Amino acid sequence: MVGDGVRKLRELSAADSLKRLAGAQYGRICFSRRGVPIIRPVNHIVELDAVVVRAHLGASLLRGDGQVVAYEADDFDEQTRSGWSVIVTGVARVVTDREQVRRYVTLLDPWVNMPSDHVIRIETEVVTGLELVDEDTDR
């Protein structure tokens, strides 16, 4: 069935990309340790133009001290060959304000049964998104 249902890529605006990211339940964070890229799946929330995750800093190796990271989420349907992908690049910082941490802890319920003792906020600097759509789509 190669070639059936030909699709094209359509670029998403930053606002539309963040809206789709906000609707996703999980994504993947990519960071570097000793020059080697590391990717970990995590759940997240989007707040304004920032992505917020909970992490176990020691286990994940994510420092959250201002390192540049990428965060990616997507949603694809194999049957219709449609979907989207969003990548956010920005600076990761540990949230230290106790009230903010409490609020984020109630909003972010980790899927993994291990301590996620830090809240990381990724301030977005670059937001890109692509959507896989029908070849005939004019939007």
Side-chain angles (χ1 to χ4, degrees):
M1 290 205 145
V2 174
D4 286 352
V6 175
R7 302 291 182 253
K8 67 179 179 181
L9 288 175
R10 181 176 69 88
E11 198 168 327
L12 298 171
S13 69
D16 195 21
S17 295
L18 289 172
K19 183 177 178 181
R20 293 188 190 215
L21 185 61
Q25 293 188 31
Y26 64 91
R28 289 155 291 283
I29 190 164
C30 179
F31 52 97
S32 179
R33 179 69 172 185
R34 295 187 207 124
V36 177
I38 298 170
I39 301 171
R40 297 281 190 263
V42 293
N43 60 321
H44 66 273
I45 61 169
V46 175
E47 186 172 76
L48 300 174
D49 62 347
V51 177
V52 182
V53 301
R54 287 177 63 189
H56 182 325
L57 295 184
S60 71
L61 308 175
L62 173 63
R63 297 184 318 264
D65 62 355
Q67 73 187 113
V68 175
V69 302
Y71 193 83
E72 188 269 345
D74 53 51
D75 183 33
F76 289 99
D77 183 321
E78 291 181 30
Q79 297 300 315
T80 63
R81 294 186 176 187
S82 61
W84 57 266
S85 176
V86 170
I87 301 173
V88 169
T89 305
V91 175
R93 300 201 190 279
V94 175
V95 176
T96 57
D97 179 271
R98 289 182 184 186
E99 288 302 313
Q100 284 185 341
V101 169
R102 274 195 274 274
R103 188 168 67 82
Y104 289 138
V105 165
T106 62
L107 295 172
L108 283 162
D109 185 20
W111 291 12
V112 178
N113 187 18
M114 66 181 292
S116 294
D117 48 3
H118 290 82
V119 175
I120 306 289
R121 184 178 178 89
I122 305 166
E123 297 295 336
T124 60
E125 294 183 16
V126 179
V127 179
T128 59
L130 293 172
E131 181 178 28
L132 193 57
V133 296
D134 288 334
E135 183 71 31
D136 299 331
T137 302
D138 284 333
R139 26 179 206 140

